[in-house]
């Protein structure tokens, strides 16, 4: 006996938007008032597999097995005239999941034609920080030009041709796109810097060093996050696998740094906004004496703060001063690019080293072979990197380095402490010859 009618009925009977079935969890319907749990206990992987077998034809099941995600549009049912449903299935080992999303809901009194899709009513959610989740944008699109399908199985999103690697990426759901855009709009427009998405939890965001959940938003399912990850540029399938980093350009939100992961709850995604401009010296209240340090042709300037992120902001502001006032070649070796310097008076090149000190050392040595006028190192956590900075300053370059500390003496002691006692005196002598200033945020 087919379960499909009863599954569709579960969505329509409560005016819901989607039915979510996840292995190990109770099924629930996503509705305007929040998730509605259906009777029963957690579903087993076998039960989800049976549902997939009834919803998807063999060719789509093969794509699901090969790529871990697939979509399929169900044909219109005589029991629900005017309704359209889209099935999105994911498979990560035993973590099977199915979402049956209602694409078109038509009032009984309204005539329907093939070119008149109707969107569900908009919703607004309010967070505990005064951040509203905006309504889903209306998507009035003409129906596909394919002839109507009268069979009792389904109208596939994927063609019957042999599956190829691009197929799952080409079949991303509008629901996942809407959800991500709405979440970004809700938090980034209000000054948040980071959005956290994790299976089984509500969206969280960071603003003004506070971490809080988006109140009113329902917990995200693994299926929803996988659907978002499948849209990732440069290979969505690898993002779904977890443990990948990339930059994502959004027309309304700018450049966003993304990190996918998998934990005990399933897939997750962290999205951090990247400022299009670094902070300026005026915004940070830097004095003319501090700005004057980067007017020098050569020497070493150490920038420190109790929190390393604040030191990075100080260095970014000083590089911005150079970029606006000097015609020089600047190479910045950064653990993570946190602000983009568009070339103005200077030619600025930013290279990301990641957390590896060895990688930072390799990039620093390679940068010196390009003969830059200014070298920026956002870490000085090894004697080798310190030696590169000293050598670059001695050879007639201006070097900006980042350190952690709250006093000038403490910062210098920490830098000299990177060396053995036998090397310390020689390093101290070299440092005294090239050091032109230490800027510390107190």
């Amino acid at each position: 006996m087919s379960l499909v009618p009863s599954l569709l009925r579960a969505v329509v009977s409560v005016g819901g938007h989607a039915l979510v079935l996840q292995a190990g969890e109770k099924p629930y319907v996503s509705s305007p008032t929040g998730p509605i749990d259906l009777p029963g206990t957690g579903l087993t992987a076998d039960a989800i597999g049976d549902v997939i077998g009834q919803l998807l034809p063999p060719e789509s099941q093969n794509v699901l097995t090969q790529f871990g995600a697939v979509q399929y549009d169900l044909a219109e049912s005589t029991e629900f005239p005017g309704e359209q449903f889209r099935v999105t299935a994911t498979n990560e080992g035993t973590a099977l999941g199915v979402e049956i999303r209602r694409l078109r809901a038509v009032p009984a009194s309204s005539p329907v034609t093939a070119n008149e899709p109707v969107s569900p009513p908009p919703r607004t959610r309010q967070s505990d920080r005064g951040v509203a989740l905006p309504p889903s944008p209306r998507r009035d699109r003409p129906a596909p030009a394919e002839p109507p399908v009268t069979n009792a199985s389904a109208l596939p999103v994927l063609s019957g041709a042999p599956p190829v690697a691009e197929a799952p990426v080409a079949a991303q759901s509008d629901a996942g796109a809407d959800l991500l855009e709405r979440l970004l709009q809700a938090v980034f427009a209000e000054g948040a810097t980071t959005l956290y998405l994790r299976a089984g939890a509500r969206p969280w965001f960071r603003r003004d060093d506070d971490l809080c959940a988006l109140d009113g938003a329902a917990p995200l399912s693994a299926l929803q996050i996988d659907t978002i990850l499948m849209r990732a540029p440069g290979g969505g399938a690898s993002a779904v696998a977890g443990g990948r980093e990339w930059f994502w350009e959004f027309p309304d939100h700018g450049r966003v740094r993304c990190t996918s992961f998998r934990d005990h709850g399933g897939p997750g995604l962290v999205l951090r906004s990247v400022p299009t401009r670094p902070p300026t010296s005026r915004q940070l209240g830097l004095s003319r004496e501090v700005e004057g340090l980067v007017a020098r042709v050569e020497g070493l300037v150490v920038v420190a703060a109790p929190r390393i992120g604040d030191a990075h902001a100080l260095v970014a502001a000083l590089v911005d001063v150079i970029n606006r006032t000097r015609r020089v070649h600047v190479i910045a070796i950064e653990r993570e690019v946190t602000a983009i310097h568009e070339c103005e008076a200077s030619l600025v090149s930013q290279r990301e080293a990641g957390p590896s000190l060895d990688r930072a050392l390799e990039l620093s040595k390679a940068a010196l072979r390009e003969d830059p006028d200014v070298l920026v190192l956002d870490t000085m956590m090894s004697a080798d990197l310190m030696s590169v900075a000293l050598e670059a300053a001695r050879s007639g370059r201006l070097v900006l380095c980042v350190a952690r500390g709250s006093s000038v003496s403490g910062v210098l002691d920490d830098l000299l402490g990177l060396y053995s006692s036998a090397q310390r005196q020689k390093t101290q002598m070299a440092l005294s010859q090239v050091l032109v200033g230490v800027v510390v945020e107190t």
Side-chain angles (χ1 to χ4, degrees):
M1 180 178 178
S2 176
L3 293 173
V4 175
S6 62
L7 295 175
L8 303 184
R9 197 177 301 119
V11 182
V12 176
S13 62
V14 297
H17 301 305
L19 172 65
V20 179
L21 311 174
Q22 195 72 33
E25 301 178 8
K26 291 182 63 175
Y28 68 90
V29 173
S30 172
S31 74
T33 59
I36 301 174
D37 289 334
L38 299 183
T41 58
L43 299 172
T44 65
D46 289 340
I48 299 291
D50 291 340
V51 172
I52 291 175
Q54 294 190 33
L55 291 172
L56 301 180
E59 59 270 21
S60 292
Q61 294 182 45
N62 291 337
V63 173
L64 175 62
T65 301
Q66 185 175 0
F67 297 107
V70 71
Q71 287 183 349
Y72 203 80
D73 282 359
L74 299 178
E76 184 174 320
S77 168
T78 55
E79 184 176 351
F80 308 105
E83 298 276 0
Q84 286 185 342
F85 298 90
R86 174 168 292 173
V87 177
T88 303
T90 59
N91 178 15
E92 289 292 330
T94 59
L96 288 172
V98 176
E99 179 190 80
I100 304 175
R101 180 159 291 273
R102 191 180 182 188
L103 298 181
R104 183 171 64 181
V106 183
S109 59
S110 302
V112 178
T113 66
N115 293 323
E116 294 179 348
V118 180
S119 301
R123 294 174 289 164
T124 300
R125 299 171 182 164
Q126 186 68 29
S127 80
D128 53 356
R129 297 277 297 177
V131 178
L133 188 61
S136 176
R138 183 179 178 91
R139 291 179 175 263
D140 294 334
R141 297 177 178 174
E146 292 87 359
V149 177
T150 58
N151 62 16
S153 57
L155 174 65
V157 172
L158 301 179
S159 69
V164 294
E166 291 76 15
V169 178
Q172 299 312 314
S173 78
D174 290 342
D178 288 347
L179 175 61
L180 181 58
E181 290 288 347
R182 291 165 58 207
L183 289 172
L184 289 172
Q185 181 180 344
V187 298
F188 282 177
E190 299 296 330
T193 56
T194 309
L195 174 64
Y196 303 87
L197 308 179
R198 188 180 73 81
R202 288 183 295 168
W204 287 65
F205 63 95
R206 183 182 297 278
R207 183 176 62 186
D208 299 330
D209 293 330
D210 292 333
L211 188 66
C212 45
L214 186 59
D215 192 27
L220 299 174
S221 69
L223 183 64
Q224 287 175 302
I225 295 179
D226 274 339
T227 303
I228 291 173
L229 289 173
M230 288 297 294
R231 299 178 58 241
S238 62
V240 172
R244 178 171 168 248
E245 290 192 56
W246 69 96
F247 284 106
W248 206 337
E249 298 282 351
F250 293 91
D252 296 331
H253 312 292
R255 200 177 200 210
V256 178
R257 184 184 186 88
C258 305
T259 305
S260 62
F261 65 89
R262 287 193 174 267
D263 62 9
H264 63 285
L269 179 63
V270 179
L271 302 103
R272 289 168 289 174
S273 63
V274 178
T276 54
R277 283 198 61 86
T280 66
S281 61
R282 178 172 296 181
Q283 289 172 330
L284 298 184
L286 301 185
S287 66
R288 290 187 179 275
E289 290 78 11
V290 171
E291 289 186 354
L293 294 175
V294 295
R296 293 173 175 265
V297 175
E298 60 185 10
L300 174 66
V301 177
V302 180
V303 179
R307 297 196 319 172
I308 200 69
D310 294 335
H312 288 156
L314 286 171
V315 165
L318 292 176
V319 172
D320 181 64
V321 171
I322 296 172
N323 191 22
R324 288 185 289 105
T325 61
R326 299 182 59 188
R327 295 184 178 276
V328 291
H329 181 200
V330 182
I331 298 181
I333 309 301
E334 305 177 60
R335 177 170 181 169
E336 178 181 316
V337 175
T338 56
I340 305 298
H341 295 274
E342 300 292 345
C343 297
E344 296 183 24
S346 295
L347 172 62
V348 182
S349 177
Q350 297 173 260
R351 289 97 186 268
E352 192 165 272
S356 171
L357 293 178
D358 290 338
R359 177 62 175 164
L361 179 63
E362 176 186 348
L363 290 178
S364 301
K365 291 180 177 179
L368 291 180
R369 292 194 290 271
E370 299 176 38
D371 194 26
D373 302 292
V374 180
L375 178 66
V376 182
L377 300 177
D378 81 346
T379 181
M380 290 281 281
M381 297 304 295
S382 75
D384 289 335
L385 282 169
M386 177 72 172
S387 297
V388 169
L390 293 174
E391 180 59 34
R394 279 200 299 262
S395 62
R397 297 177 176 88
L398 178 65
V399 181
L400 305 183
C401 295
V402 174
R404 186 194 298 271
S406 56
S407 68
V408 173
S409 60
V411 169
L412 294 178
D413 287 342
D414 289 342
L415 293 180
L416 293 173
L418 297 172
Y419 293 86
S420 65
S421 56
Q423 298 175 307
R424 199 165 300 161
Q425 185 174 1
K426 181 180 179 181
T427 304
Q428 187 173 1
M429 180 70 69
L431 187 61
S432 67
Q433 294 171 350
V434 299
L435 184 66
V436 296
V438 179
V439 181
V440 179
E441 181 186 71
T442 58

